[in-house]
Amino acid sequence: MINKKMFINGEWVDSLSKEVREIINPYNQEVIAKVSEGTAQDAKLAILAARKAFDNGDWATIPAYERGNMVNKIADLIERDKAELAKLESLDTGKTLIESKADMEDIIGVFRYFAGLADKDGGEIIESPIPNSKSRVVREPVGVCGQISPWNYPLLQASWKIAPALTAGNTIVIKPSEITPLTTVKVTELIEEVGFPKGVVNLVLGPGATVGNELAVSNDVDLISFTGGIETGKKIMQAASNNVKKIALELGGKNPNIVFADCDFETAVDQALNAVFFHAGQVCSAGARLLVEETIHDKFVEAILERAKRIKLGNGFDEDTQSGPLISAEHRAKVEKYIEIGKAEGANLVLGGKRPEDPELQNGFFYLPTIFIDCKSDMRIVQEEVFGPVLTVERFSSEEEVIQLANDTIYGLAGAVWTNDSRKAERVVSKLRIGTVWINDFHPYFAQAPWGGYKQSGLGRELGKTGLEEYTETKHIFENIAPQPLYWFK
Ligand SMILES: NC(=O)c1ccc[n+]([C@@H]2O[C@H](COP(=O)([O-])OP(=O)(O)OC[C@H]3O[C@@H](n4cnc5c(N)ncnc54)[C@H](O)[C@@H]3O)[C@@H](O)[C@H]2O)c1
Ligand SMILES: C[N+](C)(C)CC=O
């Protein structure tokens, strides 16, 4: 049995309450670990440690090049232990081992990318309009950063926060999802092995409403970075207003996948399946909303159905498994509620809509790939994020119509356009109010390009140069090189 604690001020500690939480494998509900269940009081201690470590300047003021080297060493250790990390991630989330292995490669890339940026911004000289003056702009770390991550890509989403925050010279308190903490704990062990100064990196475990809320509300936290659901994001915004801390929010999506009749049919079908059913649809950028041009609609739906019904659910550690379970009983109940909503709204259920009957899957939180056709834009099943293996299909007849439909949700995270007409693609892409748009592809993301949402999908960006800038304050330094009295007040 794995037993893990929290990391506060350079020490591994139990929760002040001494409570522990059992971590469950969603494939079979077996207990895989016991971890400390933190409290708001534990979060306060972690914030205090991060505050002291920031204010004493040991980390923020070392040469940026050396900070980059330390962040790069985290990547080296993840590389060394990536097999163990991938296994932990699959045990914790139920995702296939091949997915977890790919996540680990992405995570290594994220640490290396930000490490490489550490010493690349030397500030900017401004051409001052005032005679006899010098003007320059420098970027400085924000301070203490609270970081809250979700359960669907536990370490990947944490790495998007930890790597830029440390590179920029901040101190951090990270809180993973209470149901999937294991890889974040393991990477904190690796960070300890690298040898960061005491208090620079702190890990707290436990529920969002107490531990997470403390990070959002605390006067000693300068920035809160959150990835998770929209309703939690709103609570965090409110809590953060307490001391007007900086906020970065990566929230949900209801992402349109737009298929024009002149697409490469076979590729578009194949990727439409991947867009929505990958990781059982538990992906913020899942292509859960398929918009197909009228003239190919029936043929396209038939091809999708034919393949979706053959998706092999199972243990993420089995090589022939294509999709694992949902994360929890609560989450499956939420997905099931949406199926009932869709049926009641008149969407036409043509696949799935129930749990699998396979006896081998009865201990896990499995749900069958599900497809609704004849959907209308104003249905809740089309508008709201289900976060499960559920596809809605709508028809369209013109560019104008599909642009209007695709923009017609509160979200704006990601989406795709499938066509062999590049001018058409550009016209449509330019009108989509979406943070990441793929042309003839679905899902790629990498450390070099910013990630984030328009509208209610979030605030700010992670990854790319912008993802580092989010963790900096901008300071303008003006120097008068020939100071004279003004005699304004004689
Ligand atoms: N935009 C992105 O890049 C991105 C990436 C991954 C997941 N997501 C979104 O995350 C959601 C799924 O994740 P989830 O179910 O873990 O989300 P969630 O909002 O329930 O929880 C996310 C984190 O917030 C914490 N939390 C909960 N209540 C809190 C509170 N009141 N104050 C502070 N922290 C609190 C949780 O403990 C967890 O660590 C989906 O909506 C998905 O789209 C977005
Ligand atoms: C951002 N991404 C796609 C890695 C995970 C979203 O849930």
Side-chain angles (χ1 to χ4, degrees), residues 148-153 157 160 175-178 206-209 212-213 216 226-230 232-233 235-236 250-253 283-284 385 387 413 451 457 462:
I148 302 176
S149 50
W151 49 258
N152 66 330
Y153 281 76
Q157 297 301 157
W160 291 14
K175 190 202 91 64
S177 166
E178 56 274 35
N213 178 64
F226 167 76
T227 301
I230 191 166
T232 317
K235 285 184 197 159
I236 284 177
E250 292 290 344
L251 308 177
V283 182
C284 56
E385 185 187 50
F387 221 53
L413 187 60
W451 178 271
S457 283
E462 293 193 300

Side-chain angles (χ1 to χ4, degrees), residues 214-472:
E214 187 57 40
L215 299 182
V217 83
S218 169
N219 284 334
D220 280 319
V221 174
D222 302 297
L223 176 152
I224 185 86
S225 175
F226 167 76
T227 301
I230 191 166
E231 292 311 320
T232 317
K234 288 180 189 173
K235 285 184 197 159
I236 284 177
M237 271 184 106
Q238 277 179 346
S241 71
N242 192 41
N243 66 332
V244 198
K245 59 174 64 68
K246 292 184 175 301
I247 317 176
L249 298 177
E250 292 290 344
L251 308 177
K254 189 75 183 189
N255 311 288
N257 187 14
I258 302 171
V259 180
F260 283 98
D262 60 359
C263 67
D264 175 339
F265 188 89
E266 177 63 23
T267 309
V269 167
D270 180 72
Q271 294 236 18
L273 289 159
N274 212 45
V276 62
F277 295 125
F278 189 74
H279 191 17
Q282 302 169 115
V283 182
C284 56
S285 46
R289 191 181 173 200
L290 182 63
L291 296 147
V292 188
E293 192 160 8
E294 179 71 54
T295 50
I296 60 162
H297 174 277
D298 292 356
K299 192 173 154 208
F300 201 89
V301 167
E302 199 182 313
I304 293 244
L305 269 171
E306 189 47 43
R307 285 184 51 188
K309 64 186 176 203
R310 297 203 306 262
I311 291 175
K312 171 93 174 69
L313 306 182
N315 184 348
F317 289 89
D318 291 346
E319 276 186 7
D320 61 344
T321 293
Q322 294 173 326
S323 184
L326 296 173
I327 190 69
S328 65
E330 295 74 26
H331 188 54
R332 183 168 61 178
K334 179 190 153 191
V335 171
E336 288 175 330
K337 190 192 82 183
Y338 270 107
I339 302 308
E340 294 314 311
I341 289 171
K343 287 198 267 188
E345 288 175 314
N348 185 359
L349 179 69
V350 290
L351 187 73
K354 57 182 182 181
R355 300 178 185 186
E357 282 158 16
D358 182 345
E360 285 189 18
L361 303 180
Q362 297 312 306
N363 289 333
F365 307 119
F366 286 93
Y367 201 76
L368 286 176
T370 295
I371 300 181
F372 283 109
I373 60 170
D374 302 329
C375 295
K376 298 282 173 278
S377 181
D378 60 359
M379 293 175 172
R380 285 183 63 193
I381 192 76
V382 173
Q383 290 288 326
E384 297 175 20
E385 185 187 50
V386 178
F387 221 53
V390 181
L391 179 68
T392 65
V393 189
E394 295 159 82
R395 303 159 187 263
F396 69 88
S397 308
S398 68
E399 270 177 57
E400 294 67 34
E401 185 190 8
V402 80
I403 289 163
Q404 191 274 326
L405 287 172
N407 284 330
D408 181 27
T409 72
I410 60 168
Y411 294 109
L413 187 60
V417 178
W418 293 88
T419 172
N420 280 322
D421 179 343
S422 56
R423 287 200 200 162
K424 187 197 289 180
E426 287 302 326
R427 281 195 302 274
V428 174
V429 162
S430 71
K431 300 252 173 53
L432 294 177
R433 307 250 310 128
I434 284 175
T436 296
V437 188
W438 298 288
I439 300 173
N440 294 330
D441 210 325
F442 210 102
H443 278 320
Y445 52 85
F446 35 82
Q448 292 77 0
W451 178 271
Y454 281 35
K455 303 194 282 183
Q456 294 187 38
S457 283
L459 275 180
R461 292 291 179 269
E462 293 193 300
L463 302 183
K465 287 185 198 154
T466 327
L468 184 60
E469 284 168 10
E470 294 271 350
Y471 283 97
T472 62

Side-chain angles (χ1 to χ4, degrees), residues 7 32 35 40 73 81 84 91 117 243 272 276 281 286 309 365 409 417 424-425 464 481 483:
F7 191 65
I32 48 176
V35 302
K73 279 187 194 152
D81 292 351
E84 180 189 346
L91 279 173
L117 286 186
N243 66 332
V276 62
K309 64 186 176 203
F365 307 119
T409 72
V417 178
K424 187 197 289 180
I481 54 174

